[in-house]
Amino acid sequence: MSETGVWGAERSAQRQTTLPAEQLLHSGNAGLIIHRVGMLEYEMAQEGRDFSVELVNYMNRAQVGVATTFLYEEVFGVKDRVHWFVHMKSPELYSRLLEMVDHDAAFQDIAQRDRLPKKGGGNWEKMFIYGSLRETIMCPQHGFANVGHEEQPSDPRERRESFVPPAVHQTSQPPDQQLNSANAGAIILRTGDVRYEFREEGRQFLYDWSNHINNALPGQATAFIYEQTWGQQDRIHCLIHLRQLEDYRLVQEVDRSEGMEKEVYDAERVPEAKGGGKWDRLFVPTSINDTVMVPHLADRR
């Protein structure tokens, strides 16, 4: 089985590109992820999706080894809000994307072409609601205490090329059973703000939770954790990759299991010197939010 596997392959984001799986960057092997969100105008939503599909396909072919981008759309959330995940090894490679945007004629044709001939003319600038395009930079979580499976990559080339150790090193799931943004059928983005005084404890809790999910559901769910970089301090993220959207019920079953309750939720998380307490003291109230996404496919309207 290839690095990105075959789980959910029929409805996965890797179908958005013709590149072979071994050339794809994704949430498991990238050193950072740029998560871009945009809100489409209802009347131009289909044109906006068509534009995004064409752009992603071209960018992936033009930026092999530099960046891989996948397009997801929100479900059980805001209608016609779309998400792009731009996966890179290291932030300095972003200059190659800028070079393409500024000087690549094929890219500029895709971006500037009239895509609204029957709606007054225009390109992507008319398709998206002003102010809705925003980016968050997420890096795989690294460097905090007592993380048993987080290790430096064994390949020296990976250590040099990757901004931080990729998320695959957070889990002991067999590589051929790991899900990621390329081969998953759905992703849940879970975001939470850790109280500053509990930053280590909050990260440890989320790692313990994701590790419990990974150990219980290889091939059906894989959770990786990330921290926000060049953004809000101590905002952390978990990408819960599902083989298919229906497998979320399995995550819920594990989340409600006796083992999870005893080993993760009931564990004392806050040192006595800080007043003691469990996981619910670690996060800012109302800050934990889930966004459910599925890969956009050209045949999905």
Side-chain angles (χ1 to χ4, degrees), residues 198 201 268-278 281:
F198 302 139
E201 293 86 352
E268 285 293 318
R269 298 282 173 181
V270 181
E272 286 300 323
K274 296 182 180 181
K278 300 179 181 179
R281 284 200 62 201

Side-chain angles (χ1 to χ4, degrees), residues 164-191:
V164 296
V168 293
H169 301 288
Q170 296 175 8
T171 179
S172 58
Q173 277 188 351
D176 63 348
Q177 295 187 24
Q178 290 180 20
L179 292 157
N180 53 60
S181 56
N183 64 10
I187 291 179
I188 299 169
L189 171 61
R190 177 165 295 175
T191 298

